[in-house]
Amino acid sequence: MDNNLLAEAINLTLFGMGFVFVFLTLMVLVTTVMSLLVKRFQPNLNLATTSNIEFSSDIDEKTEAIIKKAIKMHTKT
Amino acid sequence: MDNNLLAEAINLTLFGMGFVFVFLTLMVLVTTVMSLLVKRFQPNLNLATTSNIEFSSDIDEKTEAIIKKAIKMHTKT
Amino acid sequence: MDNNLLAEAINLTLFGMGFVFVFLTLMVLVTTVMSLLVKRFQPNLNLATTSNIEFSSDIDEKTEAIIKKAIKMHTKT
Amino acid sequence: MEQFNILWNNTGLYQMVWGQGLMLLVGILLIYLAIVKKFEPLLLLPIGFGAILSNIPGANLAVDGGILHLFYMVGIESGAFPLIIFMGVGALTDFGPLLANPKTLILGAAAQFGIFATLLGAVGLSALGVFDFNLKQAAAIGIIGGADGPTSIYVASILAPELLGAIAVASYSYMALVPLIQPPIMRAMTTEKERQIKMVQLREVSKTEKIIFPIILLLLVALLLPAAAPLLGMFAFGNLMKESGVVNRLSDTTQNALINIVTIFLGLAVGSKLMAEKFLQLDTLGILVLGLVAFAIGTTSGLLMAKLMNIFSKNKVNPLIGSAGVSAVPMAARVSNKVGLESDPHNFLLMHAMGPNVAGVIGSAIAAGIMIQFLA
Amino acid sequence: MEQFNILWNNTGLYQMVWGQGLMLLVGILLIYLAIVKKFEPLLLLPIGFGAILSNIPGANLAVDGGILHLFYMVGIESGAFPLIIFMGVGALTDFGPLLANPKTLILGAAAQFGIFATLLGAVGLSALGVFDFNLKQAAAIGIIGGADGPTSIYVASILAPELLGAIAVASYSYMALVPLIQPPIMRAMTTEKERQIKMVQLREVSKTEKIIFPIILLLLVALLLPAAAPLLGMFAFGNLMKESGVVNRLSDTTQNALINIVTIFLGLAVGSKLMAEKFLQLDTLGILVLGLVAFAIGTTSGLLMAKLMNIFSKNKVNPLIGSAGVSAVPMAARVSNKVGLESDPHNFLLMHAMGPNVAGVIGSAIAAGIMIQFLA
Amino acid sequence: MEQFNILWNNTGLYQMVWGQGLMLLVGILLIYLAIVKKFEPLLLLPIGFGAILSNIPGANLAVDGGILHLFYMVGIESGAFPLIIFMGVGALTDFGPLLANPKTLILGAAAQFGIFATLLGAVGLSALGVFDFNLKQAAAIGIIGGADGPTSIYVASILAPELLGAIAVASYSYMALVPLIQPPIMRAMTTEKERQIKMVQLREVSKTEKIIFPIILLLLVALLLPAAAPLLGMFAFGNLMKESGVVNRLSDTTQNALINIVTIFLGLAVGSKLMAEKFLQLDTLGILVLGLVAFAIGTTSGLLMAKLMNIFSKNKVNPLIGSAGVSAVPMAARVSNKVGLESDPHNFLLMHAMGPNVAGVIGSAIAAGIMIQFLA
Ligand code: NA
Ligand code: NA
Ligand code: NA
């Protein structure tokens, strides 16, 4: 019985590690291809960056940086 | 059978739209009367505005405005 | 029957108030001893104060105070 | 080798049926619309993601015991999520423009005709054998014309949970498409001169009026249409928390953390209703078509009512604000403003359109109450 | 016409019984007190709104399947909401003043006599036939004298859920009325000279002491009164999160988003216990009367204990801080300060009163544990 | 006197068995480690507190009807808490460094050998009669080597809920101990010259790539290993919310209020699995030993894989980043950086190590999916 259990465990290990490698290797490939495609067809996607942040320009950049840090300090701690 | 269903649907439409109009018309009336009463008996209700915001006055107004915007930016986006 | 209820209530009151006093008196003692021990063996515990707040020093203290107040205003109201 | 077979037989690839593959693409489409086209991303991104998760072959996330099914049962089946969202919407709504010009409530009433016309259409097409909707389903589909996501989801969860996925997707998609759907209708139904009508400036509304308004709304609902009390009660509660000024910390949390948390799980839970075998049916196509019709009719009836009011009223209203009565807050009001600016670049209709806009929220909740009253 | 009849028969107006009408007015009164009189608005606004929602005829929001009933079952029946609130209160509590002067814990003990005296009164009046409370109910009513909302709700949910609505309303109302209830008693029970007693300045308390305190509290409760462990355990946990300084993000969320979210739903859920047929009974009147008595006796016994302590102690305490032992944090401490300033405008008692004030929270949780231990 | 006996018989002191006393000390130890030693305080503080609460004699907080048991059933038994945490972790993860150098994914794969070696070890020691773990239990223990708290808890809740407490404690404790466990192994397995390898600077990664990545991850999981879809689906969803930029308010709430709230209740719920009669067993010791072995083997296999890659690859990797493949984000990456600086004070490996570090999260979720696929 115990030997059977051990055999199962070995099987699981072989298949498990194998699958982990297959999966992550596949991710390397797919990710690399994806990055190449993205770089090739530099998309004109109008991707949001900070478009939904309404922040009028009369605040100088340094103040803004200070405030952002303050808010970050507040939210991340 | 289907005609019966259609009749029900027509009934529901008539009563439904009728009720929607009755209700919102009633709201027009009640709201108007309420506004008149409020204006007439200008209440001395001690309504909270920003009383529970403790903000000492040693910060100039411009800085305060900047910070409020920053916080708004932070919370609403 | 009702007298029985009343007797139970009186019992509960005596034991209850007694226990409340015993418990809080015990807390006075234990707390006092604890404070003495803490003062005696001034611990070198490296207790976190604000260590997980990363706030670079290029912001002057007054600005920082202003922002902290603003954030407090925002979060506590 | 046995393990290998088990593994292969359990892959999504092996188990996938064509419908699931199609639904994965639908999910990606919804995510694309949310991210790139900015279609109501707050809902369509979670719904799209939920759609993908629900259609992963063998993962069983949207059926008994799956996490999305759990979210659905806890949040939507119980009615809690749409009602909490409605409370949050109440806390984000400003009734000032409505109180300044209460007769715009009538525009919010008129625009609900889209709901009932669509109900009629759905029943009629079913009588003709085109579709096969019963009365409850027809009513749930009609509510799409109310242009209010949580109201649609709430009604569908009660009257036609089997259609909830398609109804929610249609509802949010068309709300996002309001800037495309409404302007042609608005231009067709109004004259250039009507579009140039300048409205009298809105008066200042006092804090007291704003505080009393949600209580009046609640009491009227309580007295006249208890079936609408859950929706409008939570809505009025959110608004009262905001306007009262004495529970700012509750109001802030309602407008932020609470509504955000519930939105995430509502979206994922709605996604659980986009399983291929339920969603890929002729019904769904019918819902998409009828939903669009509902929006168009609602827009039209709002515009026509505004023109009708101008016949009897001294203070003319610009009919362009009538279309905002469908709700889709604040998109429809912005559309009114934008189309108005085309005819007169100095005529800002935004605040005037906010009145019918929020009135439309109340109007469709009333219509929802009627449906639930008679059909649930 | 049939539809019209159905609609009319389903209106709130048609179905309303007088009790529901009265409860709508009670709900409006609570909202009025919350907004205009600022009576504990964080709780009384949601409770008042919940009271209205629960008494809408035909809406059935507070019975099986209704959303408020759901909130009640999930949050209060399970015990979760009051315990989470108590965790939040712990995270908002500073035990510094208590640690600086631990003997003020005794004042927090004395003030709990209001709880037990009221228990006796309720049982006595029931023996006399004035009311009809059993021992469990009498205990739940007595806890009102603890001047602690979540403790009252927690105990009532276990010992007398049928009285929970009235107990919660009484508890929060009298907490709001502390500035009216306490000062006359304080002036009557103390001499002008006593009220002018200046107390020695509180010492600085180290971070280490503040961190160790909640652990000591937890262990003492664990060893001596396990029945109080849920309440005081969660309380100590909240306090430890705050004082430890290593989980600031958890502590911040506990003090803000989490306690706010739970407060909203706790209030609405309590409102579900204000249905007319349950609330409009002689019992409720009894609870209101007994609750007021509980506050008064608690205040008195706190004051008397302070005077008693001055007989034996060298460092005199100003007896005005004794009344803060009922808890009602931080209102009762502010009242001590205010009444003290009347006798000596340079004598600030606020920090001194915070000691007995937070001790009162512990004291009434211990009393609650005793009640649950013997009666649950 | 009867009352006194009842009270005494109900005290914790009277009812305590030695195991409970020991577990109170274990709880205090965990709190001490969290506060003073800063061992993963976000989890170990609530877990430690929960351990104390669960072992209060007579309080019954962690059994049927107790509040901690309720938290466990609602949040962990259902799978919701670990999945929500994983969504939050996704929203906090930046895949930029991974996308800049995708082959580091292989390092994240190699480090998972710790999981399977430990599974083998647990089964082997059981075959030898040292322990008595079945295959499910062995798999749940192995996952500790994944160095990912929510993954460990999720797998344990499915495969071996009876071991969940010990597994969670081991998992978070060893994650906290990474700066002690890894460096000796790293120094032993690498030469000074290898540790000085300078890696080519990481390229800039575009927003578009970051948005597409979680969708690719989701689809690969959907197609190949549906059993990993709950974990990696929620993870990818959180990441997509963050990177898409169109639902910032949802992403912010996920990263803050939501993850904080769930962390608190997850910790307390895990604590409910630390009841003396369940926890104080030889099994627990086995778990602690095997968990440490798992971390060590994972670290070693990550390092060795990096050295292997250098044989075949032109762009050499510094093998020190291999150990970061166990995850324990971001601690393990910081350790790579720190050990690297010892050999070359100008060689900052932090960003290079972030690639394998987040790859390790994916890797152990895949391993978890395999275990669930074959054993659940
Ligand atoms: Na509408
Ligand atoms: Na108290
Ligand atoms: Na890992």
Side-chain angles (χ1 to χ4, degrees):
Chain A
M1 285 298 274
D2 278 335
N3 279 349
N4 194 2
L5 192 68
L6 203 56
E8 272 191 70
I10 292 171
N11 253 335
L12 189 55
T13 298
L14 293 176
F15 272 95
M17 271 317 282
F19 188 85
V20 168
F21 271 111
V22 167
F23 188 93
L24 289 174
T25 308
L26 208 57
M27 282 219 69
V28 175
L29 296 177
V30 177
T31 301
T32 307
V33 170
M34 181 271 283
S35 288
L36 285 174
L37 290 176
V38 167
K39 269 178 272 184
R40 172 82 44 109
F41 307 101
Q42 194 54 273
N44 285 326
L45 302 182
N46 171 26
L47 291 174
T49 48
T50 52
S51 67
N52 50 359
I53 295 174
E54 276 150 37
F55 202 93
S56 73
S57 58
D58 61 336
I59 299 174
D60 63 290
E61 282 198 317
K62 204 191 149 211
T63 311
E64 191 178 340
I66 290 171
I67 289 168
K68 274 185 180 159
K69 266 187 198 155
I71 288 165
K72 204 172 169 189
M73 174 190 80
H74 163 61
T75 51
K76 296 288 163 55
T77 57
Chain B
M1 287 299 273
D2 276 337
N3 279 348
N4 193 2
L5 192 68
L6 203 55
E8 272 191 69
I10 292 171
N11 254 335
L12 189 55
T13 300
L14 292 177
F15 272 95
M17 271 315 284
F19 189 85
V20 168
F21 270 111
V22 167
F23 188 92
L24 289 175
T25 308
L26 207 58
M27 283 218 69
V28 175
L29 296 178
V30 177
T31 302
T32 308
V33 170
M34 180 270 283
S35 287
L36 285 174
L37 289 177
V38 167
K39 270 178 271 183
R40 174 80 45 108
F41 308 100
Q42 194 54 272
N44 284 327
L45 304 181
N46 172 26
L47 292 173
T49 48
T50 53
S51 67
N52 50 357
I53 295 174
E54 275 150 37
F55 201 93
S56 73
S57 58
D58 62 334
I59 298 174
D60 63 289
E61 281 198 317
K62 206 189 146 208
T63 311
E64 189 179 341
I66 291 171
I67 289 167
K68 274 185 180 159
K69 265 185 199 155
I71 288 165
K72 202 172 171 188
M73 174 190 80
H74 164 60
T75 52
K76 296 289 163 54
T77 56
Chain C
M1 287 297 276
D2 278 337
N3 278 349
N4 194 1
L5 192 67
L6 202 55
E8 273 191 69
I10 291 171
N11 254 335
L12 190 54
T13 298
L14 292 177
F15 272 95
M17 270 317 284
F19 188 84
V20 168
F21 271 110
V22 167
F23 188 92
L24 290 175
T25 307
L26 208 58
M27 284 219 67
V28 175
L29 297 178
V30 176
T31 302
T32 306
V33 170
M34 181 270 284
S35 287
L36 286 175
L37 291 176
V38 167
K39 269 178 273 183
R40 173 81 43 111
F41 307 100
Q42 195 54 272
N44 285 327
L45 302 182
N46 170 25
L47 291 174
T49 48
T50 52
S51 67
N52 50 358
I53 295 174
E54 276 150 36
F55 201 93
S56 73
S57 59
D58 62 333
I59 298 175
D60 63 289
E61 281 199 318
K62 203 189 148 207
T63 312
E64 190 179 339
I66 290 171
I67 289 166
K68 274 186 181 160
K69 266 187 197 154
I71 287 165
K72 203 172 172 189
M73 175 189 79
H74 164 58
T75 51
K76 297 288 162 59
T77 57
Chain D
M1 279 322 290
E2 197 197 340
Q3 248 95 349
F4 185 77
N5 273 333
I6 294 176
L7 197 57
W8 168 244
N9 292 344
N10 280 304
T11 60
L13 267 177
Y14 178 86
Q15 297 179 79
M16 192 177 297
V17 296
W18 71 269
Q20 290 170 320
L22 192 55
M23 287 311 295
L24 294 186
L25 294 179
V26 170
I28 291 173
L29 174 68
L30 290 175
I31 292 172
Y32 171 83
L33 293 175
I35 296 179
V36 181
K37 297 291 177 192
K38 316 265 187 304
F39 273 28
E40 296 280 328
L42 292 176
L43 265 297
L44 288 188
L45 185 70
I47 291 176
F49 213 95
I52 296 179
L53 291 177
S54 303
N55 287 286
I56 295 177
N60 298 322
L61 288 175
V63 297
D64 251 16
I67 191 77
L68 295 192
H69 184 255
L70 181 73
F71 293 160
Y72 182 83
M73 295 308 289
V74 168
I76 298 189
E77 173 93 0
S78 72
F81 284 175
L83 293 178
I84 295 171
I85 299 269
F86 228 57
M87 177 172 77
V89 171
L92 287 162
T93 297
D94 177 9
F95 281 114
L98 181 69
L99 285 163
N101 192 6
K103 74 181 176 189
T104 55
L105 276 160
I106 302 298
L107 298 172
Q112 308 316 318
F113 185 62
I115 292 176
F116 291 99
T118 306
L119 161 75
L120 280 180
V123 168
L125 289 172
S126 298
L128 293 174
V130 180
F131 296 119
D132 186 25
F133 295 119
N134 61 34
L135 201 52
K136 288 185 183 194
Q137 292 175 325
I141 295 166
I143 292 290
I144 297 172
D148 232 304
T151 303
S152 291
I153 292 171
Y154 184 75
V155 172
S157 74
I158 293 174
L159 296 181
E162 67 281 6
L163 304 181
L164 192 145
I167 287 174
V169 168
S171 186
Y172 284 105
S173 299
Y174 293 140
M175 281 163 68
L177 287 171
V178 152
L180 296 181
I181 297 171
Q182 289 196 323
I185 303 172
M186 292 161 80
R187 290 189 202 103
M189 304 297 297
T190 52
T191 65
E192 177 72 14
K193 206 172 155 192
E194 284 172 335
R195 293 197 290 273
Q196 290 172 341
I197 292 177
K198 275 212 158 73
M199 295 178 65
V200 289
Q201 186 155 4
L202 292 174
R203 70 172 176 89
E204 197 66 17
V205 171
S206 73
K207 196 83 190 148
T208 312
E209 289 169 84
K210 288 189 180 180
I211 294 175
I212 296 175
F213 182 79
I215 300 174
I216 285 181
L217 173 59
L218 173 69
L219 291 180
L220 275 180
V221 169
L223 296 181
L224 297 180
L225 189 65
L231 274 174
L232 284 173
M234 294 299 276
F235 183 67
F237 178 52
N239 192 247
L240 183 62
M241 283 201 287
K242 175 196 167 211
E243 299 296 358
S244 72
V246 294
V247 292
N248 289 340
R249 55 182 294 159
L250 303 187
S251 171
D252 282 354
T253 295
T254 303
Q255 292 172 40
N256 292 288
L258 180 55
I259 198 172
N260 292 344
I261 290 172
V262 173
T263 298
I264 290 169
F265 293 111
L266 177 73
L268 291 173
V270 166
S272 80
K273 287 286 174 180
L274 269 68
M275 288 180 70
E277 62 263 47
K278 304 274 173 66
F279 189 80
L280 292 176
Q281 301 191 341
L282 190 61
D283 282 1
T284 298
L285 196 66
I287 290 167
L288 290 175
V289 171
L290 289 164
L292 184 56
V293 170
F295 265 68
I297 296 179
T299 302
T300 309
S301 50
L303 294 164
L304 291 178
M305 176 54 74
K307 294 170 74 157
L308 183 66
M309 280 168 70
N310 278 347
I311 298 177
F312 299 104
S313 169
K314 199 178 56 193
N315 285 331
K316 301 299 179 202
V317 302
N318 187 313
L320 291 176
I321 71 168
S323 59
V326 297
S327 29
V329 184
M331 193 77 88
R334 285 190 197 152
V335 169
S336 297
N337 189 57
K338 189 161 161 267
V339 176
L341 289 175
E342 291 170 8
S343 296
D344 176 353
H346 301 295
N347 193 8
F348 292 91
L349 295 171
L350 186 62
M351 291 317 287
H352 296 287
M354 286 309 296
N357 209 199
V358 298
V361 177
I362 298 174
S364 48
I366 294 290
I370 294 275
M371 303 297 197
I372 292 167
Q373 178 76 72
F374 281 101
L375 302 175
Chain E
M1 280 322 290
E2 198 195 339
Q3 249 94 348
F4 185 78
N5 273 333
I6 294 176
L7 197 57
W8 168 244
N9 292 345
N10 280 305
T11 59
L13 267 178
Y14 179 86
Q15 296 179 78
M16 190 177 298
V17 295
W18 71 270
Q20 290 170 320
L22 192 56
M23 287 310 294
L24 294 186
L25 294 179
V26 169
I28 291 174
L29 173 67
L30 290 174
I31 292 173
Y32 171 83
L33 292 174
I35 297 178
V36 181
K37 298 291 177 192
K38 315 266 186 305
F39 272 29
E40 296 279 329
L42 293 176
L43 265 297
L44 287 188
L45 186 70
I47 291 177
F49 214 94
I52 296 180
L53 291 177
S54 302
N55 286 286
I56 295 178
N60 298 322
L61 288 174
V63 296
D64 252 15
I67 191 78
L68 295 192
H69 184 255
L70 181 73
F71 293 159
Y72 182 84
M73 295 309 290
V74 168
I76 298 188
E77 173 92 2
S78 72
F81 285 174
L83 293 178
I84 295 171
I85 298 271
F86 227 57
M87 177 172 77
V89 171
L92 287 162
T93 297
D94 178 8
F95 281 113
L98 181 68
L99 285 163
N101 192 6
K103 74 179 175 190
T104 56
L105 277 160
I106 303 299
L107 298 172
Q112 309 314 318
F113 184 63
I115 292 176
F116 291 99
T118 305
L119 161 74
L120 280 181
V123 167
L125 288 173
S126 298
L128 293 174
V130 180
F131 297 120
D132 186 26
F133 295 119
N134 61 36
L135 201 51
K136 287 185 183 193
Q137 292 174 325
I141 295 167
I143 292 290
I144 297 172
D148 233 303
T151 303
S152 291
I153 292 171
Y154 184 73
V155 172
S157 74
I158 293 173
L159 295 181
E162 66 281 8
L163 303 182
L164 191 144
I167 287 174
V169 168
S171 185
Y172 284 105
S173 299
Y174 293 138
M175 280 163 69
L177 287 171
V178 151
L180 295 183
I181 296 171
Q182 289 196 323
I185 302 172
M186 293 161 80
R187 291 189 201 105
M189 304 298 296
T190 53
T191 66
E192 177 71 13
K193 207 173 155 192
E194 284 171 335
R195 292 196 290 273
Q196 289 172 342
I197 293 176
K198 275 214 158 71
M199 296 178 66
V200 291
Q201 188 156 2
L202 292 174
R203 70 173 176 88
E204 202 57 25
V205 172
S206 73
K207 196 83 190 147
T208 311
E209 288 168 84
K210 288 189 181 180
I211 293 176
I212 296 174
F213 181 78
I215 299 174
I216 286 182
L217 172 59
L218 173 68
L219 291 180
L220 275 180
V221 169
L223 296 181
L224 297 180
L225 188 64
L231 275 174
L232 284 172
M234 293 300 275
F235 184 67
F237 178 51
N239 191 247
L240 183 63
M241 283 202 287
K242 176 195 167 212
E243 299 296 357
S244 71
V246 294
V247 291
N248 289 341
R249 55 181 294 157
L250 303 187
S251 170
D252 282 353
T253 295
T254 304
Q255 292 173 40
N256 292 287
L258 181 55
I259 197 172
N260 291 343
I261 290 172
V262 174
T263 298
I264 290 170
F265 293 111
L266 176 74
L268 291 174
V270 166
S272 80
K273 286 286 173 181
L274 270 67
M275 288 180 70
E277 62 264 45
K278 303 273 173 65
F279 189 80
L280 292 176
Q281 300 191 344
L282 190 60
D283 282 1
T284 299
L285 196 65
I287 291 166
L288 291 175
V289 171
L290 289 165
L292 184 57
V293 170
F295 265 69
I297 296 179
T299 301
T300 309
S301 50
L303 294 165
L304 291 179
M305 176 54 75
K307 294 170 75 158
L308 184 66
M309 282 167 70
N310 278 348
I311 297 176
F312 299 102
S313 169
K314 197 179 59 194
N315 284 331
K316 301 299 178 202
V317 301
N318 188 314
L320 291 176
I321 71 168
S323 59
V326 296
S327 31
V329 184
M331 193 77 86
R334 285 189 197 152
V335 168
S336 298
N337 190 57
K338 191 162 160 266
V339 176
L341 289 176
E342 290 171 9
S343 296
D344 176 351
H346 302 294
N347 193 7
F348 293 91
L349 296 171
L350 187 63
M351 291 318 286
H352 297 287
M354 287 309 296
N357 210 200
V358 298
V361 177
I362 299 173
S364 48
I366 293 292
I370 293 276
M371 302 298 196
I372 291 168
Q373 178 77 72
F374 280 101
L375 302 175
Chain F
M1 279 323 288
E2 197 196 342
Q3 247 94 350
F4 185 77
N5 273 334
I6 295 176
L7 197 57
W8 169 243
N9 290 346
N10 279 304
T11 60
L13 268 178
Y14 179 86
Q15 297 179 78
M16 192 178 296
V17 296
W18 71 270
Q20 289 171 321
L22 192 56
M23 286 310 294
L24 294 186
L25 294 179
V26 169
I28 290 173
L29 173 68
L30 290 174
I31 292 173
Y32 170 84
L33 293 175
I35 296 178
V36 181
K37 298 291 177 193
K38 315 265 185 308
F39 273 28
E40 296 279 329
L42 293 176
L43 265 297
L44 288 188
L45 185 69
I47 291 177
F49 214 94
I52 297 179
L53 291 177
S54 303
N55 286 287
I56 296 178
N60 297 322
L61 289 174
V63 297
D64 251 16
I67 192 76
L68 295 192
H69 183 255
L70 180 73
F71 293 159
Y72 182 83
M73 295 309 289
V74 168
I76 297 187
E77 172 93 2
S78 72
F81 285 174
L83 293 178
I84 295 171
I85 299 270
F86 227 57
M87 176 172 77
V89 172
L92 287 162
T93 297
D94 178 9
F95 282 114
L98 181 69
L99 285 162
N101 192 7
K103 74 179 175 190
T104 56
L105 277 160
I106 302 299
L107 297 172
Q112 308 317 317
F113 184 62
I115 292 175
F116 292 99
T118 306
L119 160 75
L120 280 181
V123 167
L125 289 173
S126 299
L128 293 174
V130 180
F131 298 120
D132 186 25
F133 297 118
N134 61 35
L135 201 52
K136 288 185 182 193
Q137 292 174 324
I141 295 167
I143 292 290
I144 297 172
D148 231 304
T151 303
S152 290
I153 292 171
Y154 184 75
V155 171
S157 73
I158 293 174
L159 295 181
E162 68 279 7
L163 304 182
L164 192 144
I167 287 174
V169 168
S171 186
Y172 284 105
S173 299
Y174 293 139
M175 280 163 68
L177 287 171
V178 152
L180 295 182
I181 297 171
Q182 290 197 323
I185 302 173
M186 292 161 79
R187 291 188 202 105
M189 303 298 296
T190 53
T191 66
E192 177 73 13
K193 205 172 157 193
E194 284 171 336
R195 292 198 289 274
Q196 290 173 341
I197 291 177
K198 274 215 159 69
M199 295 178 66
V200 290
Q201 186 155 3
L202 292 174
R203 71 171 175 88
E204 198 64 18
V205 171
S206 73
K207 196 83 191 146
T208 311
E209 288 169 84
K210 288 189 179 179
I211 293 176
I212 295 175
F213 181 79
I215 300 174
I216 286 182
L217 172 59
L218 173 68
L219 292 180
L220 275 180
V221 170
L223 296 181
L224 297 179
L225 189 64
L231 274 174
L232 284 172
M234 293 300 276
F235 183 68
F237 178 52
N239 191 247
L240 183 62
M241 283 201 287
K242 175 195 168 211
E243 299 296 357
S244 72
V246 293
V247 292
N248 289 340
R249 55 181 296 159
L250 302 187
S251 170
D252 282 353
T253 295
T254 303
Q255 292 173 41
N256 292 288
L258 180 55
I259 198 172
N260 291 345
I261 290 171
V262 174
T263 299
I264 291 169
F265 293 111
L266 177 73
L268 291 174
V270 166
S272 80
K273 286 287 174 181
L274 269 69
M275 287 180 70
E277 62 262 44
K278 305 274 174 63
F279 189 80
L280 292 177
Q281 301 192 342
L282 189 62
D283 282 1
T284 297
L285 196 65
I287 290 167
L288 290 174
V289 170
L290 289 164
L292 184 56
V293 170
F295 264 69
I297 296 181
T299 300
T300 309
S301 49
L303 294 164
L304 291 179
M305 176 55 73
K307 294 170 74 156
L308 183 66
M309 282 168 69
N310 278 348
I311 298 177
F312 300 103
S313 168
K314 197 179 59 192
N315 286 330
K316 302 297 179 205
V317 301
N318 188 313
L320 290 177
I321 71 169
S323 60
V326 296
S327 30
V329 184
M331 193 77 87
R334 285 190 197 152
V335 168
S336 297
N337 189 56
K338 189 161 162 266
V339 177
L341 289 175
E342 291 171 7
S343 295
D344 175 352
H346 302 294
N347 194 7
F348 292 92
L349 296 172
L350 186 63
M351 291 317 286
H352 296 287
M354 286 310 296
N357 208 202
V358 297
V361 177
I362 299 174
S364 48
I366 294 291
I370 294 275
M371 302 299 196
I372 292 168
Q373 178 77 71
F374 281 101
L375 302 176

